[in-house]
Every structure is written in C-alpha cells, then in structure tokens.
Amino acid sequence: EPEVTQTPSHQVTQMGQEVILRCVPISNHLYFYWYRQILGQKVEFLVSFYNNEISEKSEIFDDQFSVERPDGSNFTLKIRSTKLEDSAMYFCAIPGQGGGVQYFGPGTRLTVL
Amino acid sequence: AQSVAQPEDQVNVAEGNPLTVKCTYSVSGNPYLFWYVQYPNRGLQFLLKYITGDNLVKGSYGFEAEFNKSQTSFHLKKPSALVSDSALYFCAVRDKVGTYKYIFGTGTRLKVLA
C-alpha cells in the first residue's frame, strides 16, 4: 500500500487565519484528493487534483479553499480565512490499485478557535 | 445522485462470533463499492472493493463483503470477530464513471466484546 504522510498532525488556529495543510506521497503521483471529516460525521469529498489542475470539486470547496503542488512532490490545501465550522480532520488520498481505490493519509486535525 | 447508507450507528458483537456491518447503495449504472476502516486517530485503511465479478469479495484482515444487486447491498462480514476489529467502518461508492470522487456512508462503529 502506497504511503502518504500529512503535516501537521494537528493544527490549532484562530478564526480568520490562513492555514496550509500538506500531503506528501512517498512515490510520485499526478492525482490526489482531499476529504474532510467533521468530528463524528461522515467523510466528505472536497477536491481532486490532476496534473496541477483541479479536476473536480464539491460545493464545500468554495473560494476560501485552494490546492497546489508547490514543488512537484508535496500537495497543499490552503484555507484562506478559517471559520469555526472548518474544524475537522482533513485527509489527503492518492490513487492505488485499479478500480478507483484510494489510499488515505493519517489526516490533519484542524481546530479553529 | 449516488448514495450509500449505513443503517446502524453501532454494532456490538462478542469475540469469536460472526459479524456483519450493513451497507446499501443507490447508484445509476454499475457500482464501484468499497469498504474502509478507521482506527482511532488514524486515516482510512482500504479493506476491499467490488467492481465486477464474484459477488463475494475477500479483503484484508479476514474481511469479506457480499454484493447483492437485487437488494442493492454490500454488507461487510467476518466469520470470527476479534477485539482488535473494533473500529469505525465506512462504506463508499464511486460517484460516477470517469470520476474519482467517493461518496461515503455515515460510518458504523464496530465494538467487539471480549
């Protein structure tokens, strides 16, 4: 199973601040995905990113969110001005074996105060 | 729109007994179905998938799932539960052909009692 790391594991921020969450796959990937899981709730798709472009995004992924591949290896999710309701676990995922399997990182817990 | 439902928030089972975690789906076209497990403070781990072929799919850690087209179900099963199987289980469906977006169920917490 491909390995994906995410940093930081936990981020605490004040409402209105910008946060950047990072995802680093062990091997090179062109595709990656971001999901979020509000505490105790289901996992929700945010965005998929292919070859430096957004290929699909959900209604959650509004103008406050952006994704980048800043240096060819790691991927970032930026929230420009955090809101209380952005508090959640954020997971990145990369494609795995065929059939649409995705492998998830350990997640970043974002707490907005 | 595609959707999955996990009707049970929690399932309790005694160690050594068989377990079933239920999932039903609603999709147009052929479904791509997945099960993931989440241990505390961990990411989602892939267990198994159904795309086509045999209705009984075998996956990691002794888990299997049965695809039933007429009942639109994809229940997760294991013949003999272990305490270490206690975790949160998610059923997911790929949204549609040509997309990689997953639609997840609400999750079922499995508690295996010693």
Side-chain angles (χ1 to χ4, degrees), chain A residues 18-75:
Chain A
E18 175 184 283
V19 295
I20 297 176
L21 313 180
R22 289 187 169 78
C23 171
V24 185
I26 293 297
S27 52
N28 214 14
H29 285 272
L30 293 177
Y31 252 119
F32 75 104
Y33 322 95
W34 284 98
Y35 291 80
R36 80 170 183 192
Q37 182 184 29
I38 294 173
L39 187 62
Q41 298 186 27
K42 67 178 177 181
V43 180
E44 300 173 294
F45 171 80
L46 290 175
V47 66
S48 61
F49 192 75
Y50 174 68
N51 203 23
N52 297 320
E53 285 186 6
I54 291 175
S55 55
E56 194 170 7
K57 62 181 180 178
S58 72
E59 59 275 7
I60 302 168
F61 194 87
D62 61 21
D63 292 345
Q64 291 300 313
F65 291 89
S66 61
V67 285
E68 275 187 340
R69 194 180 181 195
D71 59 9
S73 60
N74 71 91
F75 303 90

Side-chain angles (χ1 to χ4, degrees), chain A residues 5-25:
Chain A
T5 60
Q6 289 187 243
T7 59
S9 57
H10 192 188
Q11 172 99 41
V12 181
T13 190
Q14 296 291 324
M15 192 168 57
Q17 295 297 303
E18 175 184 283
V19 295
I20 297 176
L21 313 180
R22 289 187 169 78
C23 171
V24 185

Side-chain angles (χ1 to χ4, degrees), chain B residues 16-77:
Chain B
N17 282 3
L19 69 87
T20 298
V21 182
K22 295 180 181 175
C23 172
T24 58
Y25 65 89
S26 173
V27 303
S28 52
N30 295 322
Y32 280 46
L33 294 158
F34 308 87
W35 275 102
Y36 282 80
V37 60
Q38 185 180 31
Y39 296 100
N41 301 314
R42 300 282 298 277
L44 297 156
Q45 294 180 35
F46 169 71
L47 279 179
L48 48 80
K49 69 179 184 212
Y50 173 84
I51 300 171
T52 186
D54 288 342
N55 290 340
L56 187 64
V57 179
K58 293 192 183 297
S60 307
Y61 313 121
F63 283 93
E64 56 191 29
E66 188 168 10
F67 173 70
N68 187 318
K69 190 171 183 178
S70 62
Q71 296 185 5
T72 63
S73 67
F74 188 55
H75 299 333
L76 182 71
K77 301 183 180 191

Side-chain angles (χ1 to χ4, degrees), chain A residues 94-109:
Chain A
I94 56 174
Q97 56 185 267
V101 174
Q102 295 177 24
Y103 293 115
F104 287 77
T108 292
R109 181 174 295 282

